[in-house]
């Protein structure tokens, strides 16, 4: 099995931010609004004239991502409505230069580079605007490749391309060889990802693809059986129900749940790509910014545990949500939902509920909580390690707590 370094490097990024920004953001009812509410073309498409993010949208967004602990950002450079945030250089006039007079992808890439994050480009495969998508599929594929070529050659080195929408015409020949070959010719080390959608979570695809996707799913160990090369995995997750800005979407997940999901992704070696749908001015709504802030706080304590450490498959007796990652001589024990001191649950410690017990044959030198650097009591006997996962001290409750195990 071939292992490529850039795929390994991608895995070590751990956490990324997904950004759904487009003309749908102006209408504030999700990115599928046109299709789901059957808005006629003449009502929907002209909205692009009104779409003009604030001048500082990109640096602000990148800053929020960075503070949340994200190492890369995947921006919707063109979503299903066919509008391009980049300069299509004459392919059509349905792009940002003809709308707001700017190249928004350029602004995004510049902001990422300035703040040290890696830009990735989401690109739709299906298209509601380009007529050839319905009438002349071969011609459409040429248009698609010409579009992708612009993204590959005009914005410097990018982290990768993230395609979405092939499921719309499952039985068509999408000429994937040509599409991916084109990307490789300009960006040999770009991750090429093609979202399998909700129905085929984690499925292996074309040989050029570098990662499987788990859309809003529970990440699973990837099954590399039959794969000639090593590939990564990534789970994209939405904070509420829509990817694009939706004013009336109140169905937000609790930050605690998202923190658990970051941890569960890492358990299987997957990256988590957490979505935000900024408003039309490119700014985050208050709740999105707040959720990112909390996640960033959690990451600030646990950063080293969620990047390079890899899955071990160690099972913790009776604790299905706890798990262990490894990075050389350092192991990381992820403990989920520990109680807080002062709560009645704490009495249960004496019954041994707050102990993590698992088979471990390396000799332990020390165990330390990552969040406050305090030592953790443990006992090692006959190949079994018992870790005393005491509650949080009163005043803190970090959802998932990580103990660092150093071995001799
Ligand atoms: C789905 C949706 C799309 C969204 C994507 C994100 O494929 O069609 O709107 O961009 O999920 O993963």
């Amino acid at each position: 099995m071939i292992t490529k370094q850039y795929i390994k490097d991608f895995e070590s990024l751990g956490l990324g931010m997904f950004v759904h920004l487009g003309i749908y953001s102006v209408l504030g009812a999700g990115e599928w609004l046109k299709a789901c509410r059957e808005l006629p073309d003449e009502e929907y498409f002209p909205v692009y004239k009104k779409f003009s993010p604030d001048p500082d949208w990109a640096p602000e967004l990148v800053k929020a991502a960075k503070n949340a602990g994200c190492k890369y950002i995947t921006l919707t450079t063109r979503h299903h409505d066919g509008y391009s945030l980049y300069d299509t250089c004459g392919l059509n006039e349905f792009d940002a230069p003809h709308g707001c007079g700017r190249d928004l992808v350029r602004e995004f890439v510049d902001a990422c580079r300035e703040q040290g994050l890696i830009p990735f480009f989401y690109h739709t495969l299906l298209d509601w605007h380009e007529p050839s998508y319905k009438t002349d599929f071969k011609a459409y594929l040429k248009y698609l490749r010409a579009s992708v070529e612009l993204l590959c050659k005009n914005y410097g080195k990018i982290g990768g391309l993230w395609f979405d929408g092939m499921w719309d015409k499952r039985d068509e020949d999408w000429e994937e060889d040509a599409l991916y070959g084109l990307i490789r010719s300009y960006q040999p080390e770009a991750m090429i990802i093609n979202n399998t959608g909700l129905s085929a979570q984690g499925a292996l695809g074309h040989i050029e693809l570098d990662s499987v996707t788990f859309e809003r799913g529970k990440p699973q160990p990837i099954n590399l059986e039959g794969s000639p090369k090593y590939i990564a995995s990534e789970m994209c997750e939405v904070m509420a129900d829509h990817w694009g800005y939706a004013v009336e979407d109140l169905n937000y997940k609790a930050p605690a749940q998202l923190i658990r999901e970051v941890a569960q992704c890492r358990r299987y070696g997957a990256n988590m790509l957490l979505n935000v749908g900024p408003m039309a001015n490119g700014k985050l709504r208050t709740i999105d910014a707040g959720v990112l802030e909390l996640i960033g706080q959690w990451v600030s304590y646990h950063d080293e545990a969620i990047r390079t450490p890899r899955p071990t498959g160690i099972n913790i007796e009776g604790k299905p949500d706890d798990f262990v990652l490894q990075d050389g001589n350092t192991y990381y024990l992820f403990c989920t939902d520990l109680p807080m001191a002062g709560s009645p649950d704490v009495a249960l410690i004496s019954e041994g509920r707050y102990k993590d017990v698992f088979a471990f044959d390396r000799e332990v030198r020390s165990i330390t909580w990552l969040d406050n650097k305090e030592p953790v009591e443990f006992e090692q006997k006959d190949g079994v390690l018992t870790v005393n996962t005491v509650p949080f001290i009163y005043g803190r409750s970090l959802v998932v707590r990580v103990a660092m195990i150093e071995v001799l």
Side-chain angles (χ1 to χ4, degrees), residues 248-284:
E248 295 193 311
D249 186 350
L250 312 183
N251 200 14
Y252 271 75
K253 296 180 179 69
Q257 179 183 335
L258 296 171
I259 289 172
R260 283 185 208 107
E261 287 186 17
V262 174
Q264 288 302 319
C265 281
R266 297 316 285 164
R267 169 186 204 143
Y268 300 114
N271 285 3
M272 170 134 158
L273 185 62
L274 179 60
N275 182 71
V276 292
M279 300 178 288
N281 63 5
K283 299 292 169 69
L284 294 175

Side-chain angles (χ1 to χ4, degrees), residues 1 28 43 46 68 85 111 113 121 123 127 156 187 210 217 222 235 285-286 338 347 378 383 390 394 397 403:
M1 190 159 61
E43 200 179 307
L85 268 59
R113 300 235 164 85
F121 297 157
H123 203 279
D127 197 306
Q187 302 269 352
D210 298 315
I222 335 170
M235 182 188 93
R285 70 195 285 190
T286 318
L338 292 168
F378 65 93
V390 290
Y394 182 80
S397 199

Side-chain angles (χ1 to χ4, degrees), residues 18 20 31-32 76 79-80 122 162 164-165 167 195 197 215-216 236 243:
F18 210 171
H20 277 71
E31 80 288 357
W32 269 84
T76 49
H79 205 265
H80 305 336
Y122 168 109
W162 207 101
D164 183 33
W167 29 261
N195 185 24
E215 184 183 333
R216 283 184 272 184
C236 55
W243 299 88

Side-chain angles (χ1 to χ4, degrees), residues 312-334:
T312 58
I314 293 175
N315 286 317
I316 318 289
E317 280 173 29
K319 301 265 187 83
D321 292 334
D322 290 7
F323 60 94
V324 180
L325 302 183
Q326 180 192 6
D327 189 5
N329 283 337
T330 308
Y331 290 77
Y332 296 88
L333 170 64
F334 283 65

Side-chain angles (χ1 to χ4, degrees), residues 153-200:
K153 69 178 192 190
N154 289 347
Y155 300 92
K157 189 171 188 228
I158 54 166
L161 273 144
W162 207 101
F163 293 107
D164 183 33
M166 199 171 271
W167 29 261
D168 191 52
K169 283 187 194 272
R170 273 182 210 288
D171 301 330
E172 285 287 353
D173 175 8
W174 283 85
E175 299 175 6
E176 282 178 271
D177 287 350
L179 179 64
Y180 303 148
L182 172 82
I183 299 168
R184 290 277 176 249
S185 70
Y186 289 100
Q187 302 269 352
E189 301 198 321
M191 289 291 294
I192 306 181
I193 301 174
N194 192 340
N195 185 24
T196 44
L198 283 171
S199 57

